[in-house]
Amino acid sequence: RFLIKGGLAGAAVYVAYDQGLLGSGTQGAEALKKAQETLPPAIQEWTNYLGWEVRAAQLPPTPKFDFSLSDSWNKGVHTVMSALSVAPTRACEYTMEGWKYVKDLVK
């Protein structure tokens, strides 16, 4: 079982690499465009082969992705760096609040 699962995982990675999904953003966009052009005819061919009656109007449209990985990555980096830049100040504030709380308990 382990060898079969490993083989399938390796084949999936190879296909992803071969289709350009692991390359640059432009290669990924080209692969997505190619998949959007190829997928509906392939589904139609398989449904005809299996004897299922599926009309093109019944197939859902391909989803439109308006997602930029680089923008999301940059936003995440900015958020982390912002949190790290205010961390020393917040640590001092929380430490002072903690000492004040402890002093009030001791009184």
Side-chain angles (χ1 to χ4, degrees):
R1 280 188 177 180
F2 178 73
L3 292 176
I4 292 172
K5 288 180 183 180
L8 289 174
V13 170
Y14 173 75
V15 168
Y17 177 76
D18 187 47
Q19 294 298 317
L21 295 176
L22 301 178
S24 67
T26 56
Q27 289 176 336
E30 289 173 10
L32 178 63
K33 184 178 177 184
K34 187 167 55 169
Q36 287 175 339
E37 293 171 355
T38 307
L39 196 60
I43 291 174
Q44 187 66 37
E45 181 181 337
W46 273 98
T47 54
N48 292 341
Y49 177 75
L50 295 174
W52 295 342
E53 175 110 13
V54 177
R55 293 186 205 118
Q58 291 177 340
L59 292 175
T62 56
K64 302 292 182 197
F65 294 108
D66 189 23
F67 177 75
S68 173
L69 186 61
S70 63
D71 289 343
S72 298
W73 176 264
N74 290 340
K75 184 178 178 184
V77 169
H78 285 293
T79 302
V80 168
M81 291 301 149
S82 173
L84 289 175
S85 69
V86 297
T89 306
R90 294 285 164 92
C92 289
E93 290 174 3
Y94 294 148
T95 303
M96 289 174 28
E97 287 178 18
W99 277 110
K100 186 177 178 182
Y101 178 75
V102 170
K103 285 179 185 179
D104 289 343
L105 284 177
V106 172
K107 287 184 183 177

